[in-house]
Amino acid sequence: MTSTISKNTIPNTMSGIVLTEHGDTDKLHYRDNLSVPTLTNHDVLIRVSAAGVNNTDINTRLAWYSKKEADSSDASWSGHALSFPLIQGADVCGTIVAVGGKVNPNRIGERVLIEPCLQEIDSEKLNPAGYFGSECNGGFAEYTKVADRHAYAIKSHLSDIELASFPCSYSTAENMLSRANVNERDRILISGASGGVGSAAIQLAKARGAYVVAITSADKRQALLDIGADQALTREDDIVAALGESSIDVVIDLVAGQQWPVFLEVLKPFGRYAVSGAIGGAFVELDVRTLYLKDLSLFGCTVLAPDVFGNLIRYLEQGKIKPLVAHTYPLKEIVQAQEAFQKKNHLGKIVLTVTQS
């Protein structure tokens, strides 16, 4: 492998957080002797400034993605076993400091966001797709690498911390809206609307001109109205009574769980349902008659469509969406950050600061 190096000297070792095995936060360890990534021909090396905390980090750590009891052979994002030790972290903002032999050296110095859904790792195409910080090392370290195609240059007045709040949650939300073909004629219902993806979906749906109904806790209703929701319901509300049967064009679901049948009840005939999370419970009750008698379309949303991340970059550069950073923590305090994240008392994103520009 050959690479082009920036003028700044890149060390051989770096500090970062490694996950040593599936389990609780005691499996997360801060180390200052990790090897700086070695580039293949199509990679770029990124000096990480900030990295967001996500559900996928915690789900991966806990082996939540595994469908096999007492067996983690399918516990990664793509359904394969993880390779430990693993550096997690899907949300990354940083600066390119070196490039592989087949990457334009003019990219050195670019401030970038990493597209978290990966089609390529180590110059090899993936099938199925992988996820940054799951199928390969991610951004919870001073340096990380990714395929050149997944490092998007960004020109914005926003800080690195603010930009690190966008990649995973906003691209997930935009992908769901795109798959469900949300437009200005739609009334949409968003579950889990105060989280990173939910609050992103509110902003992105409003950018498309849709009417947005958000579901959240009572203490966050006003905050969601302030960022653009047209109506906000609490989790305790009777959704059917509040909205009416067959009143919603699109459901954007991040919760699933026991109330799932209600989502199909409020969908109009030919309505669209998109899901990319199940924090309320992965198993739901489906009356198939509702599905086929209403001619509903259901979309499972994981792999990003080709134009989704590019759209997100354009929204950011045009100032159409705004960051929602709830709290920041130094990288060493990842345990405290994840504990705060799991309490769900925040609105928006929790971001780890890694290196200073």
Side-chain angles (χ1 to χ4, degrees), residues 25 284 304 318 339 342:
T25 53
V284 299
L304 300 185
Q318 294 168 6
E339 288 173 346
Q342 289 184 282

Side-chain angles (χ1 to χ4, degrees), residues 210-262:
Y211 182 96
V212 174
V213 182
I215 304 175
T216 187
S217 57
D219 61 325
K220 295 176 182 174
R221 286 184 69 255
Q222 188 56 50
L224 296 190
L225 293 170
D226 290 343
I227 66 170
D230 298 286
Q231 187 176 352
L233 304 178
T234 72
R235 301 186 188 104
E236 292 72 32
D237 288 336
D238 184 328
I239 295 174
V240 177
L243 300 177
E245 292 185 19
S246 300
S247 59
I248 294 294
D249 298 288
V250 179
V251 170
I252 300 296
D253 187 19
L254 305 160
V255 175
Q258 291 185 349
Q259 71 173 353
W260 192 84
V262 173

Side-chain angles (χ1 to χ4, degrees), residues 29-56:
H29 299 275
Y30 180 86
R31 293 180 180 168
D32 59 8
N33 61 349
L34 300 173
S35 297
V36 171
T38 300
L39 304 185
T40 63
N41 277 327
H42 296 282
D43 292 332
V44 295
L45 183 68
I46 295 167
R47 185 171 185 260
V48 179
S49 298
V53 176
N54 289 291
N55 271 318
T56 190

Side-chain angles (χ1 to χ4, degrees), residues 327-342:
H327 304 289
T328 62
Y329 293 81
L331 181 62
K332 283 186 177 181
E333 296 180 12
I334 189 172
V335 171
Q336 296 93 314
Q338 289 195 356
E339 288 173 346
F341 181 92
Q342 289 184 282

Side-chain angles (χ1 to χ4, degrees), residues 20-221:
T20 55
E21 59 182 309
H22 292 296
D24 208 339
T25 53
D26 62 334
K27 308 305 180 186
L28 295 170
H29 299 275
Y30 180 86
R31 293 180 180 168
D32 59 8
N33 61 349
L34 300 173
S35 297
V36 171
T38 300
L39 304 185
T40 63
N41 277 327
H42 296 282
D43 292 332
V44 295
L45 183 68
I46 295 167
R47 185 171 185 260
V48 179
S49 298
V53 176
N54 289 291
N55 271 318
T56 190
D57 306 322
I58 296 166
N59 291 342
T60 299
R61 170 168 57 77
L62 296 174
W64 183 88
Y65 293 114
S66 177
K67 297 178 182 178
K68 303 174 183 178
E69 292 186 14
D71 183 353
S72 58
S73 63
D74 64 341
S76 74
W77 185 85
S78 65
H80 301 294
L82 291 184
S83 177
F84 297 108
L86 174 69
I87 299 171
Q88 293 185 276
D91 269 338
V92 172
C93 180
T95 303
I96 294 177
V97 294
V99 298
K102 294 187 177 180
V103 179
N104 188 338
N106 290 336
R107 295 213 66 186
I108 293 174
E110 286 183 356
R111 184 161 69 147
V112 295
L113 292 179
I114 292 178
E115 180 181 27
C117 183
L118 305 179
Q119 304 289 338
E120 179 181 337
I121 294 176
D122 289 332
S123 298
E124 298 289 336
K125 292 183 179 180
L126 300 183
N127 187 19
Y131 214 71
F132 196 59
S134 175
E135 278 61 43
C136 66
N137 285 331
F140 291 160
E142 290 181 295
Y143 294 91
T144 191
K145 73 171 183 177
V146 73
D148 171 60
R149 65 192 286 190
H150 294 302
Y152 283 68
I154 177 77
K155 295 180 180 179
S156 171
H157 68 278
L158 297 175
S159 68
D160 291 351
I161 289 172
E162 290 172 319
L163 287 174
S165 71
F166 287 103
C168 189
S169 57
Y170 280 75
S171 62
T172 298
E174 176 66 11
N175 195 44
M176 296 173 77
L177 296 171
S178 296
R179 291 286 302 280
N181 194 28
V182 170
N183 58 64
E184 71 279 359
R185 298 182 299 277
D186 289 330
R187 287 172 56 90
I188 77 168
L189 177 66
I190 302 173
S191 69
S194 62
V197 179
S199 56
I202 292 174
Q203 291 193 58
L204 292 166
K206 292 307 299 180
R208 290 168 176 252
Y211 182 96
V212 174
V213 182
I215 304 175
T216 187
S217 57
D219 61 325
K220 295 176 182 174
R221 286 184 69 255

